[in-house]
Amino acid sequence: MRCIKCRKPANVEVRRHRSAFCAGCYPGWFRTQVERAVEDDRMFTRDEQVLVAISGGKDSLALWHALVKLGYRADGMYIRLGIGGYSRRSQEKSEAFAAKHGLALHQVDLEDAYGFAVPDLKDARGGKPCAACGTVKRYHFNKIAADLGYGVVATGHNLDDEAATLFGNVIHWQTDFLGRQGPVLESTHRKLVRKVKPLYKLAERDTAAYSIIERIDYILEECPMAKGAKSLEYKDLLNDLEEKEPGAKYRFLVGYLRQGRQAVAPGPPVDLRECSRCGQPTTGDLCAFCRLADRGRRKADAKAAKYRVT
Amino acid sequence: MRCIKCRKPANVEVRRHRSAFCAGCYPGWFRTQVERAVEDDRMFTRDEQVLVAISGGKDSLALWHALVKLGYRADGMYIRLGIGGYSRRSQEKSEAFAAKHGLALHQVDLEDAYGFAVPDLKDARGGKPCAACGTVKRYHFNKIAADLGYGVVATGHNLDDEAATLFGNVIHWQTDFLGRQGPVLESTHRKLVRKVKPLYKLAERDTAAYSIIERIDYILEECPMAKGAKSLEYKDLLNDLEEKEPGAKYRFLVGYLRQGRQAVAPGPPVDLRECSRCGQPTTGDLCAFCRLADRGRRKADAKAAKYRVT
């Protein structure tokens, strides 16, 4: 197999595009894909300040790297979630990347700010805190971006992530979520920042290849809290399908965005007001994060009481 | 595990219902499910004459058996598709079932009537004739039912069939098909008979268990033409999902019918007229079957010419 650009032996194959690239040509192709998504879906311009949500993994670091190389004004933001050694190591990777490239990385420490961490957010039956962790991240990316004057937050969600989310929403016919899934979530409130996903057409293995070739030092381990999560189950299933029908994931997601989404009648527009405690946009009186923080603090206090010397 | 009705040791487990039954109680449960689907979805009444599409397999024979036991007026119809030994054996099973229970079985022979058989319907690249075979069956079930005065055609499509079809339509976002998928297809033309699927909430293994317990002698082999068909691939995939999330198939299908289908905006109503050759309902000038029959006859003639002694 040879590089479709320079005919040298290829290092990376992109089956769904019937393409292959050598290590020299691949990063350029990858960045062109990112640039096209940003431009075609009108995510942001080179004049706008973009805040990139950084986890220390390959997707968010590859995104940040590509955006900066493409000349976009992208700063990073990392949330210290307090998931033991995993969080410490991913923070180190994120800080090292920012330092190496001379980039600004904003940080929030959950435990310092609120007195609890993500492991305290397991539900009553000890279930996974993944949904709660999603709320924590969405809340802070939005709040910090709005407070610091960024107009847009970019996340590293890739094709595999988006296809798995879509699959879960379809399998359970979550029509509310279905109507809202897309690579651009426009702001519908003055305190709500636009959210964009520039990697949504690139597969997990594409961002892995980019990170390896560009020598991006990312955290390899998966979050220990996510083991056995449904989203990983759906990814496996879609990988099986992809094996049998190359391009199936891409067609599933892009087909949805082109045809399915129009067909799914959008629900009534959501009426947003400001949380009575923190002022962030919410549909209720107290926002999802403030409710969750109350629970987190109770759990953290109970744990502290248990180990207190009396 | 014990029968939930009589507490005897159970023979059949229905995981998605968290139920189990002994061989004595199971057929009654199965028939109640069929009766409920027929009544809840207003498929037909005990006064109507129903034509059951018979293939000789477990689903269609179990359906016919259950309907007759429930007191519905159900006759059968078998189409001789000319798929070699498979078709001969399935015809024998169908005829033997009808004879054993003293039921009327109408038949059409494709080769006698038109001079071609299903294997002649492989596409130009020698691809599977499954889609064309579907057209042949739908055309004849409708035509014969209408000609003989039946108001409704019942097919043996089960939960696995329907979930796999839905999955294929969702994965490829076939929104036209999506909008039309359901257990009842109402007549929208005077020559179009209502189509119903009374087994749509019962799994493949439920109908297999019913057939075994009721000693229904059905054809075990799968159609040799269908090997490697996409629908079988989707069934495997959904079976994997079902293993991990029992009830997933049922929730996927029923969730679609309850929530998804409303959300998928129905396309404009299809304008039906009569085929200029055969008079059957169609959207075009010549109906899909008449076009397909032209192709089938050309193929069959070419084959005959090849073997003719000159």
Side-chain angles (χ1 to χ4, degrees):
Chain A
M1 216 167 29
R2 298 200 158 261
C3 175
I4 62 158
K5 301 233 172 192
C6 72
R7 313 305 303 159
K8 277 189 201 152
N11 300 90
V12 187
E13 189 187 3
V14 185
R15 269 179 89 188
R16 68 180 186 289
H17 282 258
R18 291 204 190 85
S19 302
F21 303 91
C22 70
C25 294
Y26 180 76
W29 174 81
F30 182 92
R31 285 193 288 267
T32 304
Q33 301 304 306
V34 174
E35 190 177 25
R36 267 193 210 155
V38 169
E39 288 184 1
D40 292 354
D41 289 288
R42 293 163 195 238
M43 294 184 176
F44 46 82
T45 66
R46 282 186 173 74
D47 297 328
E48 280 178 276
Q49 284 277 10
V50 181
L51 188 64
V52 183
I54 299 298
S55 71
K58 63 184 182 327
D59 300 307
S60 57
L61 292 181
L63 171 61
W64 201 6
H65 185 278
L67 289 179
V68 170
K69 285 261 174 191
L70 286 163
Y72 291 103
R73 298 164 64 189
D75 296 335
M77 170 163 177
Y78 179 82
I79 304 176
R80 297 182 194 156
L81 299 164
I83 308 173
Y86 169 76
S87 279
R88 273 194 304 278
R89 288 185 290 277
S90 60
Q91 184 186 334
E92 280 165 22
K93 300 283 186 192
S94 305
E95 288 174 351
F97 180 90
K100 181 178 170 189
H101 296 277
L103 299 168
L105 180 68
H106 306 289
Q107 295 200 45
V108 169
D109 189 300
L110 206 60
E111 204 137 23
D112 284 357
Y114 308 97
F116 67 89
V118 162
D120 297 317
L121 296 176
K122 284 182 188 168
D123 69 19
R125 291 158 302 164
K128 287 184 197 320
C130 300
C133 182
T135 300
V136 167
K137 289 188 281 190
R138 274 190 303 275
Y139 178 85
H140 284 95
F141 287 132
N142 184 73
K143 185 176 184 318
I144 305 299
D147 288 354
L148 299 177
Y150 292 90
V152 55
V153 169
T155 56
H157 291 98
N158 60 37
L159 174 59
D160 296 69
D161 298 324
E162 293 297 287
T165 301
L166 180 60
F167 187 80
N169 285 337
V170 159
I171 278 288
H172 301 107
W173 292 104
Q174 304 269 30
T175 47
D176 283 5
F177 294 141
L178 266 179
R180 268 178 275 152
Q181 192 175 350
V184 177
L185 254 169
E186 290 297 345
S187 165
T188 54
H189 184 277
R190 67 179 184 89
K191 286 190 176 176
L192 205 63
V193 171
R194 191 154 89 258
K195 311 290 182 315
V196 299
K197 300 168 182 169
L199 303 184
Y200 79 105
K201 288 181 175 175
L202 288 156
E204 208 157 285
R205 47 177 293 173
D206 301 337
T207 63
Y210 182 79
S211 300
I212 290 162
I213 293 170
E214 288 287 10
R215 295 177 211 277
I216 296 169
D217 185 22
Y218 62 88
I219 185 160
L220 271 160
E221 56 188 303
E222 294 283 345
C223 174
M225 298 273 144
K227 265 190 195 118
K230 287 247 163 90
S231 58
L232 298 181
E233 202 178 291
Y234 299 150
K235 279 189 181 176
D236 287 348
L237 233 135
L238 289 170
N239 284 337
D240 286 350
L241 182 67
E242 185 79 21
E243 271 299 310
K244 290 169 188 155
E245 298 182 30
K249 262 184 259 186
Y250 182 86
R251 287 192 301 271
F252 175 48
L253 181 67
V254 174
Y256 171 70
L257 296 173
R258 289 199 191 134
Q259 294 137 50
R261 194 165 51 162
Q262 305 171 327
V264 177
V270 182
D271 196 21
L272 289 181
R273 41 179 168 161
E274 297 184 6
C275 172
S276 60
R277 187 183 301 165
C278 74
Q280 285 299 294
T282 177
T283 50
D285 172 47
L286 215 55
C287 77
F289 177 74
C290 283
R291 276 180 280 143
L292 188 150
D294 284 344
R295 203 176 83 206
R297 263 187 296 260
R298 275 197 304 273
K299 276 269 197 81
D301 289 349
K303 202 168 63 181
K306 213 164 151 188
Y307 296 109
R308 198 172 293 146
V309 180
T310 48
Chain B
M1 217 167 28
R2 299 202 156 260
C3 175
I4 61 159
K5 302 231 173 193
C6 72
R7 313 304 306 160
K8 276 190 202 151
N11 300 89
V12 187
E13 189 187 0
V14 186
R15 269 179 89 187
R16 68 180 186 289
H17 282 257
R18 292 204 190 85
S19 303
F21 304 92
C22 71
C25 294
Y26 180 76
W29 174 81
F30 182 93
R31 285 192 289 267
T32 303
Q33 300 304 307
V34 174
E35 191 177 26
R36 268 193 210 156
V38 169
E39 288 183 0
D40 292 353
D41 289 289
R42 294 165 195 239
M43 294 183 176
F44 47 82
T45 65
R46 283 185 171 75
D47 297 329
E48 280 178 276
Q49 284 277 9
V50 181
L51 188 65
V52 184
I54 299 298
S55 71
K58 63 185 182 324
D59 301 306
S60 58
L61 292 182
L63 171 61
W64 200 5
H65 186 277
L67 289 179
V68 170
K69 285 260 173 188
L70 286 163
Y72 291 102
R73 299 164 62 190
D75 297 335
M77 169 160 177
Y78 179 84
I79 304 176
R80 296 181 195 157
L81 299 164
I83 308 173
Y86 169 77
S87 278
R88 274 195 305 279
R89 287 185 289 277
S90 61
Q91 183 187 335
E92 280 165 22
K93 300 283 186 191
S94 305
E95 289 173 350
F97 180 91
K100 181 178 169 187
H101 297 276
L103 299 167
L105 180 68
H106 306 289
Q107 295 200 46
V108 169
D109 189 299
L110 205 60
E111 203 136 25
D112 283 358
Y114 308 98
F116 68 88
V118 162
D120 298 316
L121 296 176
K122 284 181 190 168
D123 70 19
R125 292 157 300 162
K128 287 186 197 318
C130 300
C133 183
T135 300
V136 166
K137 289 189 281 190
R138 275 191 302 277
Y139 178 85
H140 284 95
F141 287 133
N142 183 73
K143 186 179 184 315
I144 305 300
D147 287 355
L148 299 177
Y150 292 89
V152 55
V153 169
T155 57
H157 292 98
N158 60 36
L159 175 59
D160 296 68
D161 298 324
E162 292 298 287
T165 301
L166 180 60
F167 187 79
N169 285 338
V170 159
I171 277 289
H172 301 105
W173 291 104
Q174 304 268 30
T175 47
D176 283 6
F177 294 141
L178 266 180
R180 267 178 274 153
Q181 192 176 348
V184 177
L185 254 169
E186 290 297 345
S187 165
T188 53
H189 184 278
R190 67 178 184 90
K191 286 189 177 177
L192 205 63
V193 171
R194 191 153 87 260
K195 311 290 181 317
V196 299
K197 300 167 182 170
L199 304 185
Y200 79 105
K201 288 182 177 175
L202 287 157
E204 208 157 286
R205 45 177 295 172
D206 301 336
T207 63
Y210 183 79
S211 299
I212 290 162
I213 293 171
E214 288 287 12
R215 296 178 210 276
I216 296 169
D217 185 21
Y218 63 89
I219 185 161
L220 270 160
E221 57 189 303
E222 294 283 344
C223 174
M225 298 273 143
K227 262 188 198 119
K230 288 249 162 87
S231 58
L232 298 181
E233 203 178 290
Y234 300 150
K235 279 188 182 177
D236 287 347
L237 226 137
L238 289 170
N239 284 336
D240 287 350
L241 182 68
E242 184 80 21
E243 271 298 310
K244 290 170 189 154
E245 298 182 29
K249 261 185 260 187
Y250 182 85
R251 288 192 301 269
F252 175 48
L253 181 68
V254 173
Y256 171 71
L257 296 172
R258 288 198 192 137
Q259 293 137 52
R261 195 165 51 162
Q262 304 170 328
V264 176
V270 182
D271 195 22
L272 289 181
R273 42 181 169 160
E274 296 183 6
C275 172
S276 60
R277 189 185 298 165
C278 74
Q280 286 299 294
T282 177
T283 51
D285 172 48
L286 215 56
C287 76
F289 176 75
C290 283
R291 276 180 280 142
L292 188 150
D294 284 346
R295 203 176 83 204
R297 263 188 296 259
R298 275 196 304 274
K299 277 271 198 82
D301 288 350
K303 202 168 63 181
K306 212 164 151 189
Y307 296 109
R308 196 172 297 145
V309 181
T310 47

